[in-house]
Amino acid sequence: DGKVTLYWDRIAENSIDPTLKVKDFEGYKIYKGTDPDLSDALTITDGNGTKVFYSPIFQADLDNGIKGYFQASPELYDLVNGAPYYLGDDSGIQNFFVDNDVINGRTYYYALVAYDRGDASKDIFPSENSRFISKDALGRISTDINTAAVIPNAPVAGYVPPPSGEQLERISGHSTAMPYFEVMDPFAIQDSTYIVEFNDSLVQGVPIAYSYNVKNTISGNYVIFDAPMSPDNGDVFSGVRLSIDTSYQNIDSVKLNPAESHWNVDDPNNLGFQVSQFAFPGAGIYGIKAPRTYAIPIKDEYADSSDYLVDIFGPNAPPAKLVNFQVYDVTDPDNPIRIPFAFTEAGGFRPDTLSHLDQLTLANPEATEVTWKIVMIDPDSTSRVPQGGDTLYISIYKPLSSNDEFRFTTNPSDYNVNDARAQLNKIKVVPNPYVVTNVFEQPLPPTVRGRGERVINFINLPPNSTINIYSSSGDLIRTLRHDGNLENGSVTWDVRTKEGLDVAYGVYFYVVQVKGISDKKMGKIAIIK
C-alpha cells in the first residue's frame, strides 16, 4: 500500500569470478522503470553523449575501502568511450530495499544487479549480472530471477495485518539481547511456529554466537541454516526476517551491566563497587569474562568463609577468611550455584565485612579458573554498612550462544468484518473522472498498433464483494467481483460493457455489495471522452 519492498538472497556475495578466480563481488544496484525497457533509468552517458548505463535508485556496496569511481587506464577508458562506473561509498551490504516513491495501481519494473569491482591493473572493467524483462503483444510480462514487475495496491477493507515487530519467546539461555521478528512479505507468511538456534565458538573461553538456524516445527525442516546475525539485514524466510542485536557479540562487550547491577536496598549511600576482568600479569593469570549474574547476600553472623584458591594461585593464594557473606551464580535464579572466591582487604577498617578497597576475586564453580574482580568503593568512609538482609547483584552483559533458544509463531493476514463495515466509505474509484487515458494503463509494445488497455480501479474493497455498474438510465452495464487475496483490495474495470463493447462517455453509477454486510456503498463515475 503505497510502497514496494524488494528483498533478495546472498548468493552473489560468495560468487567467484570465472576469469580472475577470486571473490570480487562489490555491491548491488536496483534499477527502476515504468516500462519493461527501464528507459526511465537509462540516463548515464559516455563521452560521446550516448546513454550507456542505468542510474540506480539504490546502491549498496561492501565496506572495504573500494569506493568512488573506477579508475581505469586511459586505454580502457577509450574502449568504453569515457563512460564512468561508480563503485559505491562503502555503505555496507543491504539485502532489501523499500521504494516509497510509487503510486498505487501503477505498474513498476525493477532490476536487481550484483556488480564486481573489476581490476584496473588487468584492464578489466566492472561488470554486472544479466537481467531480463519483456512484454508480449498480449500484454503478458516475463521476468527472470533478477527482475520483477510490481503493482502496489491497498489491502482490502477490514484488513488485519500479520503480527510483526514482536519479541521472540525464550526457551532457554540467558542472553542480554532478545531477538524480534519482522514481516517483510505478507504474501509469504505461513501459519507456523519456528525455533531459533545459535551456532557459537569460544572466544577467550566465552561462547559467542556467530550465526543462527531457524527450524519450522510443523515440517521439522530448517528454513534458515548458518545465517549471519544482523539487527536490520536478516535473511528473509517465509516472509519474515529476524532482528538480532549484535551489540554483545564480541568479547569486549562482556562486561558489567550497570543497569542490572545494584544493591537490593535502594539507598543513595550504599557502598559502591567496580567490576573488571581479573588480571595478574606477573603470574600470567587472566580471568575468563564469564557472562553470568552473581548475588552476594550479607548476613548478620560471621558463619561463612572465603576460599583458598590454591589450584589457581598456588601457595601464594590469599588465605581463607571468616566472612558474613557468600557469592552465588544466580544466572538461573531457580538454580543458584555457590561460587568460590578469594577475599582480600586493603586495611583494617571494618575487617571481614565489605568496606573501601576490599576485593573479591571470583572463580568458576570448580575453582580452577578466575573470572571477575570486584572492588568495593567508599573513599570517604561514609557509605552505609552492609547488613543482614542486604544483597549485592552483579550482572554481566551476556552474548547470544548455543545455550540460547527461542520460539515464535507467525499468522497470515486476517479479515475483520466489523472493520470492513466501518471502512465502506473508503471505497473509491480512481481515476475519477476518467479522461481519455491515465498513468495506470500499460502502453502496448512498440511493435503493436492500437489504443492499448483502459483501466479504472475500484480500491479499498472488502473481500467477497460485488460491484454493479449502471448507466444513468439504470441499465446494468457490468458486474465485477473481488475474489482476490487480502493484500489486494482492488478490482480493475477495462471500461467495457458485459458484452465487451467500449462504454460511451457520460456518468455511470456503481453499487458495492459485500457478503456478510447489509450496508452498501454507492457512487458515481464520470467518463470524459
Side-chain angles (χ1 to χ4, degrees):
D1 184 10
K3 66 179 181 181
V4 171
T5 300
L6 308 173
Y7 61 94
W8 55 93
D9 58 38
R10 304 176 187 270
I11 293 176
E13 296 165 35
N14 295 309
S15 62
I16 297 177
D17 187 286
T19 301
L20 299 176
K21 307 300 182 184
V22 296
K23 290 185 178 181
D24 61 351
F25 166 85
E26 184 59 27
Y28 297 110
K29 294 181 181 181
I30 293 178
Y31 304 129
K32 171 187 175 183
T34 53
D35 63 77
D37 295 327
L38 305 177
S39 56
D40 315 48
L42 187 60
T43 60
I44 299 176
T45 64
D46 62 15
N48 297 323
T50 304
K51 294 179 179 179
V52 293
F53 289 148
Y54 293 84
S55 178
I57 61 169
F58 167 82
Q59 183 170 359
D61 76 300
L62 289 172
D63 185 6
N64 58 359
I66 299 174
K67 59 183 179 178
Y69 290 97
F70 178 74
Q71 299 299 313
S73 66
E75 294 78 15
L76 184 55
Y77 261 132
D78 282 343
L79 290 175
V80 297
N81 295 324
Y85 195 91
Y86 189 63
L87 293 170
D89 56 3
D90 277 357
S91 62
I93 292 301
Q94 182 173 305
N95 296 80
F96 74 97
F97 173 70
V98 180
D99 183 10
N100 293 293
D101 184 21
V102 297
I103 299 172
N104 280 358
R106 189 172 190 179
T107 302
Y108 297 92
Y109 301 89
Y110 296 92
L112 168 74
V113 297
Y115 62 93
D116 62 38
R117 62 183 67 102
D119 191 331
S121 66
K122 294 181 173 63
D123 276 351
I124 298 178
F125 206 74
S127 59
E128 302 175 353
N129 60 237
S130 62
R131 57 188 181 273
F132 172 81
I133 311 175
S134 71
K135 187 175 183 180
D136 64 17
L138 298 178
R140 293 174 298 196
I141 299 171
S142 300
T143 60
D144 66 6
I145 193 173
N146 300 320
T147 56
V150 186
I151 304 176
N153 272 309
V156 298
Y159 177 76
V160 180
S164 180
E166 296 188 357
Q167 193 176 77
L168 274 58
E169 174 192 357
R170 183 183 293 280
I171 299 175
S172 64
H174 304 280
S175 62
T176 301
M178 291 288 291
Y180 289 76
F181 76 88
E182 176 187 5
V183 171
M184 292 290 289
D185 184 355
F187 293 88
I189 295 297
Q190 301 176 6
D191 195 351
S192 189
T193 298
Y194 302 89
I195 298 294
V196 181
E197 308 165 346
F198 292 89
N199 309 306
D200 64 22
S201 60
L202 286 179
V203 181
Q204 298 180 23
V206 179
I208 297 179
Y210 56 85
S211 67
Y212 66 96
N213 313 319
V214 180
K215 181 168 67 175
N216 186 315
T217 61
I218 295 178
S219 67
N221 298 325
Y222 283 95
V223 293
I224 287 285
F225 190 79
D226 202 22
M229 298 188 296
S230 172
D232 53 15
N233 193 37
D235 289 6
V236 178
F237 59 93
S238 303
V240 300
R241 70 174 181 185
L242 297 183
S243 174
I244 303 175
D245 184 357
T246 56
S247 302
Y248 311 104
Q249 299 310 115
N250 60 82
I251 194 64
D252 291 336
S253 69
V254 183
K255 56 186 177 181
L256 180 70
N257 180 351
E260 300 294 331
S261 302
H262 55 86
W263 289 94
N264 66 332
V265 177
D266 187 12
D267 190 319
N269 294 319
N270 278 330
L271 189 63
F273 54 89
Q274 292 179 345
V275 179
S276 60
Q277 179 187 14
F278 180 86
F280 188 3
I285 300 175
Y286 295 91
I288 292 176
K289 302 176 76 173
R292 314 298 293 173
T293 297
Y294 302 97
I296 306 175
I298 309 298
K299 301 178 182 178
D300 287 324
E301 66 278 3
Y302 286 77
D304 293 310
S305 172
S306 63
D307 297 273
Y308 181 49
L309 302 178
V310 66
D311 290 340
I312 300 174
F313 297 104
N316 295 322
K321 287 190 175 184
L322 195 66
V323 293
N324 64 339
F325 57 87
Q326 281 291 2
V327 180
Y328 293 91
D329 181 341
V330 293
T331 307
D332 180 358
D334 297 326
N335 184 32
I337 302 171
R338 162 79 165 83
I339 293 297
F341 67 96
F343 180 56
T344 56
E345 296 184 285
F349 180 65
R350 292 209 301 263
D352 305 326
T353 190
L354 299 178
S355 58
H356 184 52
L357 296 183
D358 286 356
Q359 177 176 312
L360 284 74
T361 302
L362 308 189
N364 60 354
E366 297 79 23
T368 56
E369 295 178 302
V370 287
T371 57
W372 300 100
K373 176 178 71 175
I374 304 173
V375 178
M376 311 314 297
I377 304 299
D378 181 17
D380 300 324
S381 301
T382 57
S383 295
R384 175 179 174 273
V385 178
Q387 51 193 273
D390 292 359
T391 300
L392 174 60
Y393 291 96
I394 300 294
S395 180
I396 306 298
Y397 287 121
K398 302 168 183 62
L400 290 157
S401 71
S402 58
N403 295 321
D404 294 287
E405 192 171 284
F406 298 89
R407 173 173 48 222
F408 71 100
T409 299
T410 57
N411 303 111
S413 51
D414 203 354
Y415 168 68
N416 186 297
V417 67
N418 293 324
D419 290 346
R421 182 181 294 109
Q423 295 170 11
L424 286 180
N425 61 329
K426 292 185 177 181
I427 296 174
K428 293 196 303 182
V429 174
V430 290
N432 193 9
Y434 175 91
V435 184
V436 183
T437 185
N438 66 82
V439 296
F440 305 117
E441 298 169 345
Q442 286 291 288
L444 289 172
T447 56
V448 180
R449 296 174 61 87
R451 162 65 177 74
E453 67 177 357
R454 290 178 169 84
V455 171
I456 291 178
N457 289 320
F458 293 84
I459 64 174
N460 301 320
L461 294 164
N464 299 315
S465 53
T466 301
I467 308 155
N468 290 311
I469 303 171
Y470 300 91
S471 67
S472 56
S473 60
D475 295 327
L476 178 63
I477 301 297
R478 186 75 175 270
T479 296
L480 307 172
R481 290 181 174 82
H482 181 282
D483 297 320
N485 59 57
L486 299 179
E487 272 71 35
N488 186 357
S490 302
V491 167
T492 297
W493 180 30
D494 59 6
V495 201
R496 295 177 182 271
T497 67
K498 57 181 180 292
E499 291 84 12
L501 304 174
D502 290 342
V503 300
Y505 61 89
V507 175
Y508 294 83
F509 298 85
Y510 67 90
V511 178
V512 179
Q513 296 174 287
V514 183
K515 183 179 180 180
I517 299 177
S518 58
D519 298 345
K520 300 178 182 178
K521 166 68 177 180
M522 293 173 281
K524 289 185 280 188
I525 309 171
I527 298 178
I528 301 175
K529 188 172 183 180

